[in-house]
């Protein structure tokens, strides 16, 4: 059989876990093939093995990744990709020490992005989304989650979700949508959080009928929604057939982590202030811990999520950019891998498993993304690094050489030195 493409690489990372995420000490075991080869035909992976085993294979195109690393396309399981405007004006406030929640309480923060998103046309939101998605792709992401939550009214929440759906159709990155109508309390519902949550719940039928989101999320935080309001809201979303997620214990430790485990959330995200009991419960439940160290870094905090305790307790941990215009304006998942090493003290093996298999399971895509298996879509990244340990180590730059989505090259700078040679 003639393959379309065969890629040789000095090292191939092949994370895998059957039917569930990797937990606890399993995360520290990373499957790697030295001097490996991947075969592609019709957009699918048809061969995974060593170059020796691949000796008999023939392909129309051969990519020589000698000295390079090959991995699955990365999965980013928590982003706020679709939004209007930007918030660079808040940087000066941050520098003066005004806290994130104070900016929000004064009508800025999320609420300023809500204003901008309401004022931006669906077409302009789509174009802006494409711009950011292209950048995500250059960093090696081929599947990601995207949340609404900058409408806080029916019309704009639906507009955001429609934009995400169209982006998914138009762009190589596969998107998984989450309805985050419960992201903040809008001006017209100030002091009436329960009435606002009812309003957002009343949208679930339409969202479900139109296939606009798979998951429902809520921002459980001081001044936003309480643990009890969040529990009640997410339980109703579950009953309506959605998987549920929660922004929990990001800034103040309220106990959202425990609640997420109790109600069987697919993921609990942030968890910076997770209690000892919360950490213990993560180890016992199927709820995946989505850690967002870029946000902790950007908010200027010293205390990061207790990743080591979570892994010791047996939890399944993943990582994400939390890409958003306020608390984490970056599409750079590689920087998150650096932060995970430096500030969460995760090992390179745990980090690679986190951004591939575990991230895929955190958004219900464990069966299609995050692993290199024969029969799966050829979503691959070739890296300008000698081995997998190098990526969490060499920080602040983009190590990607090439990205394939369904067997097609969709991003990458190629070999940086290719155009320069000595004249004598
Ligand atoms: O726009 O600030 N934490 N939601 C909860 C965010 C950060 C996004 C934002
Ligand atoms: Zn978020």
């Amino acid at each position: 059989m003639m393959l379309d493409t065969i890629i040789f690489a000095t090292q191939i990372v092949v994370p895998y876990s059957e039917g569930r995420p990797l937990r606890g000490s399993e995360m520290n075991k990373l499957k790697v093939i030295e001097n490996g080869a991947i075969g592609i035909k019709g957009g699918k992976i048809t061969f995974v093995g060593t170059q020796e085993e691949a000796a008999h294979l023939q392909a129309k195109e051969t990519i020589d990744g000698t000295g390079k690393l090959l991995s699955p396309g990365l999965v980013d399981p928590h982003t706020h990709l679709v939004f209007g405007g930007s918030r660079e004006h808040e940087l000066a406030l941050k520098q003066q020490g005004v806290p994130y929640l104070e900016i929000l309480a004064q009508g800025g923060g999320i609420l300023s992005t809500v204003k901008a998103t309401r004022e931006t046309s669906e077409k302009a939101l789509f174009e802006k989304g494409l711009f950011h998605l292209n950048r995500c792709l250059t960093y090696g992401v081929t599947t990601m989650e995207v949340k609404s939550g900058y409408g806080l009214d029916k019309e704009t929440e639906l507009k955001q979700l429609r934009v995400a759906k169209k982006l998914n159709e138009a762009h190589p990155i596969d998107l998984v949508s989450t309805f985050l109508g419960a992201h903040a309390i809008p001006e017209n519902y100030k002091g009436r959080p329960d009435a606002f949550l009812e309003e957002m719940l009343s949208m679930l039928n339409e969202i479900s009928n139109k296939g606009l989101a798979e998951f429902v999320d809520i921002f459980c935080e001081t001044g936003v929604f309480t643990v009890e309001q969040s529990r009640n809201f997410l339980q109703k979303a579950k009953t309506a057939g959605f998987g549920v997620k929660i922004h929990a214990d990001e800034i103040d430790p309220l106990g959202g982590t425990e609640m997420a485990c109790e109600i069987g959330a697919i993921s609990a995200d942030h968890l910076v202030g997770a209690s000892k009991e919360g950490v213990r419960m993560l180890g016992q439940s199927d709820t995946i811990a989505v850690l967002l160290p870029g946000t902790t870094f950007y908010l200027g905090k010293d205390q990061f999520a207790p990743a080591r305790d979570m892994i010791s307790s047996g939890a399944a941990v993943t990582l994400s950019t939390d890409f958003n215009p306020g608390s984490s304006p970056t599409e750079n998942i590689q920087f998150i891998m650096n932060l995970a090493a430096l500030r969460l003290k995760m090992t390179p093996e745990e980090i690679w498993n986190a951004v591939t298999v575990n991230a895929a399971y955190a958004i219900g895509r464990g069966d299609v993304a995050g692993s290199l298996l024969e029969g799966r879509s050829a979503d691959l990244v070739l890296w300008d690094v000698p081995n997998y340990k190098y990526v969490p180590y060499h920080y602040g730059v983009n190590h990607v050489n090439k990205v394939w989505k369904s067997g097609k090259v969709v991003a990458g700078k190629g070999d940086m030195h290719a155009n320069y040679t000595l004249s004598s």
Side-chain angles (χ1 to χ4, degrees):
M1 179 176 68
M2 180 64 94
L3 302 182
D4 294 331
T5 307
I6 183 154
I7 309 169
F8 297 120
T10 294
Q11 203 173 61
I12 306 184
V13 166
V14 285
Y16 178 62
S17 178
E18 180 71 45
R20 63 172 183 81
L22 296 164
R23 320 182 59 100
S25 58
E26 292 171 346
M27 287 190 67
N28 201 32
K29 293 190 195 89
L30 180 66
K31 291 177 195 155
V32 169
I33 303 172
E34 305 292 343
N35 298 314
I38 296 277
I40 304 170
K41 190 172 173 70
K44 300 258 193 281
I45 297 172
T46 55
F47 176 86
V48 183
T50 64
Q51 290 170 22
E52 221 167 39
E53 290 161 348
H56 67 286
L57 294 177
Q58 291 196 316
K60 291 178 203 156
E61 171 196 39
T62 302
I63 306 283
D64 179 14
T66 304
K68 294 181 173 42
L69 171 75
L70 190 68
S71 78
L74 305 187
V75 181
D76 191 341
H78 179 139
T79 83
H80 304 250
L81 169 83
V82 178
F83 57 86
S86 53
R87 309 226 289 265
E88 58 274 32
H89 55 278
E90 287 175 8
L91 193 53
L93 296 172
K94 278 170 56 92
Q95 287 171 324
Q96 289 156 28
V98 185
Y100 174 87
L101 289 177
E102 180 59 35
I103 297 173
L104 175 61
Q106 289 172 7
I110 295 170
L111 293 174
S112 90
T113 301
V114 167
K115 186 169 182 293
T117 306
R118 287 176 179 175
E119 288 166 358
T120 305
S121 73
E122 193 157 335
K123 185 166 182 298
L125 281 178
F126 175 82
E127 297 295 333
K128 194 169 155 67
L130 277 184
F131 174 84
H132 293 297
L133 271 182
N134 279 335
R135 195 176 274 154
C136 295
L137 197 62
T138 66
Y139 284 103
V141 171
T142 52
T143 300
M144 67 192 253
E145 188 250 19
V146 47
K147 301 176 193 295
S148 69
Y150 293 125
L152 310 186
D153 62 27
K154 284 190 181 177
E155 187 190 327
T156 318
E157 286 295 321
L158 289 172
K159 178 170 76 173
Q160 267 192 287
L161 292 171
R162 281 194 306 268
V163 168
K165 190 170 181 176
K166 287 180 192 156
L167 287 170
N168 181 43
E169 287 160 12
H171 194 273
I173 295 184
D174 285 330
L175 295 176
V176 176
S177 280
T178 297
F179 173 56
L180 177 60
H183 192 194
I185 302 164
E187 200 56 44
N188 56 326
Y189 278 95
K190 213 168 177 177
R192 298 186 297 134
D194 293 312
F196 176 64
L197 290 175
E198 281 308 315
E199 173 82 355
M200 291 298 106
L201 284 172
S202 75
M203 293 180 62
L204 292 185
N205 265 339
E206 183 173 357
I207 291 171
S208 162
N209 290 342
K210 292 186 172 160
L212 285 172
E214 282 175 52
F215 298 101
V216 171
D217 193 346
I218 188 167
F219 190 17
C220 179
E221 187 58 70
T222 306
V224 192
F225 301 108
T226 66
V227 173
E228 280 324 302
Q229 283 163 343
S230 303
R231 184 197 301 271
N232 180 42
F233 181 79
L234 294 179
Q235 253 156 359
K236 288 182 174 152
K238 262 191 105 165
T239 306
F242 291 89
V244 299
K245 295 174 161 278
I246 177 172
H247 283 66
D249 302 326
E250 171 182 353
I251 296 160
D252 291 335
L254 302 184
T257 311
E258 293 90 314
M259 185 273 280
C261 296
E262 280 162 13
I263 66 166
I266 184 166
S267 76
D269 303 36
H270 286 292
L271 318 185
V272 178
S275 68
K276 280 203 162 62
E277 177 60 9
V279 169
R280 190 194 65 77
M281 288 175 74
L282 283 169
Q284 302 297 313
S285 79
D286 290 333
T287 300
I288 300 175
V290 181
L291 306 186
L292 310 154
T295 309
T296 315
F297 166 78
Y298 201 77
L299 291 176
K301 308 261 171 163
D302 298 324
Q303 192 209 325
F304 282 68
R308 287 261 54 92
D309 294 345
M310 291 173 185
I311 293 172
S312 295
S313 87
V317 172
T318 179
L319 295 160
S320 164
T321 56
D322 192 18
F323 174 50
N324 77 71
S327 64
S328 189
T330 186
E331 299 91 339
N332 186 349
I333 187 83
Q334 295 171 44
F335 180 54
I336 304 307
M337 295 168 78
N338 304 134
L339 284 175
L342 295 169
R343 306 309 305 267
L344 303 182
K345 313 291 182 201
M346 288 171 68
T347 66
E349 293 79 11
E350 289 166 348
I351 291 168
W352 277 101
N353 282 321
V355 297
T356 54
V357 249
N358 279 13
Y361 280 107
I363 55 174
R365 291 294 184 277
D367 56 341
V368 290
S371 299
L372 298 181
L373 291 177
E374 288 172 23
R376 285 205 188 182
S377 172
D379 301 353
L380 306 162
V381 182
L382 188 66
W383 302 79
D384 279 324
V385 304
N387 59 68
Y388 72 85
K389 291 187 182 175
Y390 195 96
V391 178
Y393 146 78
H394 186 137
Y395 88 108
V397 302
N398 187 355
H399 294 288
V400 166
N401 180 290
K402 255 186 213 53
V403 181
W404 288 262
K405 178 71 197 180
S406 304
K408 287 206 171 64
V409 175
V410 286
K413 61 189 180 305
D415 292 344
M416 282 202 293
H417 50 76
N419 295 328
Y420 306 102
T421 49
L422 278 176
S423 53
S424 59

